């Protein structure tokens, strides 16, 4: 049986949010968007491939930086409108050079940078 991406719920642009999580540590690395075709590419190749909204093209994570995400498991939430990509991450996941894109803590007092640039 092959996976049918039409069973997922996409936004008006045909996209679904995908959260990348380190499969060993559980650390949340990043969030990006996927469409039905990028989901199938990811499942076929094992390299996580997102849809770049700004460039309007596929974005195989690490294709230019070498910071590849290898898919270990793909999960869907109960509403079928968000994906969890459990990955092996080579190098930083964030374009800033940090391990995770979620490096800023927000509170009523303001913001704190939790991890300096790598």
């Amino acid at each position: 049986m092959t996976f049918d991406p039409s069973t997922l719920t996409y936004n008006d642009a045909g996209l679904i949010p995908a959260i990348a999580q380190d499969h060993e540590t559980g650390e949340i690395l990043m969030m990006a968007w996927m469409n039905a075709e990028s989901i199938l590419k990811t499942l076929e190749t094992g390299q996580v491939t997102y849809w770049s909204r700004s460039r309007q093209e596929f974005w195989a994570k690490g294709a230019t930086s070498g910071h590849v995400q290898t898919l270990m498991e793909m999960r869907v939430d109960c509403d079928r409108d968000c994906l969890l990509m459990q990955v092996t991450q080579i190098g930083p996941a964030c374009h800033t050079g940090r391990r995770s894109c979620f490096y800023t803590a927000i509170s009523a007092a303001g913001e704190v940078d939790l991890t300096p640039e790598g």
Side-chain angles (χ1 to χ4, degrees):
M1 179 177 148
T2 59
F3 176 70
D4 178 4
S6 71
T7 64
L8 300 175
T9 302
Y10 301 89
N11 68 14
D12 292 342
L15 301 174
I16 187 169
I19 299 166
Q21 178 184 42
D22 184 293
H23 86 284
E24 288 183 357
T25 67
E27 179 183 21
I28 301 298
L29 301 173
M30 59 177 279
M31 179 275 185
W33 297 92
M34 299 180 92
N35 62 19
E37 193 172 346
S38 67
I39 292 167
L40 291 177
K41 283 179 182 289
T42 297
L43 291 171
E44 290 168 6
T45 66
Q47 181 179 4
V48 181
T49 302
Y50 299 104
W51 177 255
S52 170
R53 295 177 302 161
S54 60
R55 295 187 309 267
Q56 292 292 295
E57 65 185 17
F58 293 108
W59 162 41
K61 180 68 173 162
T64 56
S65 67
H67 302 153
V68 176
Q69 286 180 352
T70 302
L71 181 68
M72 303 307 290
E73 185 174 65
M74 185 184 297
R75 297 182 184 181
V76 63
D77 76 335
C78 57
D79 293 324
R80 303 187 69 80
D81 62 0
C82 186
L83 298 174
L84 177 64
M85 317 299 290
Q86 293 190 327
V87 302
T88 297
Q89 174 72 48
I90 304 299
C94 184
H95 74 281
T96 65
R98 293 170 175 92
R99 170 85 179 147
S100 169
C101 293
F102 296 94
Y103 57 85
T104 305
I106 298 174
S107 71
E111 297 183 15
V112 176
D113 186 340
L114 300 172
T115 54
E117 288 187 50

